[in-house]
Amino acid sequence: MPLAVGVSAANTHDSQALKPLVKAIPAVKSRRGPRRARPGKLHADKAYDIAELRTWLRGRGIVPRIARKGIESSEKLGQHRWVIERSIAWLFGYRRLTSRYEVHAHLFCAFLTLAATLTCYKKLAKTK
């Protein structure tokens, strides 16, 4: 389920958007234990293979599962990448988001947040 969303410029490298996105993840209430303030691990592709990001994630108590450039094949993350691609497909299943009509990024981010909220609600409603 999408817990946090963000919008960045097309010419911005993905790794620069990682920190604000991880900081935006809200605390998740669990029935079985204490509230989790952060995720336990983070799966990412080779674009995020930067030593500073790995150190930053470990400092926050998050185990980085990032494919290494030149060492690991991208196929190892295939199972986890499918989850991400599926979630993006859920969000862009809303017709308003398929093409960006808004001039201002904050409006697109608002519609994206609304789509993420509706997606979470639909998925949680199915589990009851």
Side-chain angles (χ1 to χ4, degrees):
M1 285 192 278
L3 298 177
V5 295
V7 177
S8 63
N11 61 353
T12 303
H13 195 269
D14 292 343
S15 63
Q16 294 177 350
L18 181 70
K19 288 182 183 180
L21 198 58
V22 170
K23 288 179 184 177
I25 297 174
V28 178
K29 187 176 180 181
S30 175
R31 292 184 190 179
R32 291 182 251 151
R35 183 177 293 240
R36 292 187 59 129
R38 59 186 166 9
K41 58 185 170 179
L42 181 124
H43 292 272
D45 60 6
K46 294 178 183 184
Y48 299 93
D49 185 23
I50 299 171
E52 177 196 345
L53 287 178
R54 289 179 184 274
T55 306
W56 183 80
L57 288 169
R58 286 189 187 105
R60 294 184 62 90
I62 301 171
V63 177
R65 306 281 179 155
I66 301 173
R68 297 188 182 275
K69 293 178 186 174
I71 298 173
E72 298 178 34
S73 72
S74 299
E75 296 170 4
K76 283 184 138 182
L77 291 172
Q79 174 184 355
H80 303 289
R81 182 174 286 174
W82 177 83
V83 173
I84 300 299
E85 296 298 330
R86 178 199 61 197
S87 300
I88 291 171
W90 286 342
L91 292 177
F92 286 94
Y94 294 96
R95 188 166 175 234
R96 178 74 185 212
L97 297 176
T98 55
S99 296
R100 183 168 170 187
Y101 298 108
E102 291 78 23
V103 175
H104 302 288
H106 69 277
L107 294 175
F108 184 76
C109 190
F111 283 115
L112 188 61
T113 304
L114 180 62
T117 304
L118 291 172
T119 301
C120 287
Y121 176 75
K122 287 179 182 179
K123 300 306 169 192
L124 289 174
K126 282 185 178 180
T127 61
K128 289 185 178 183

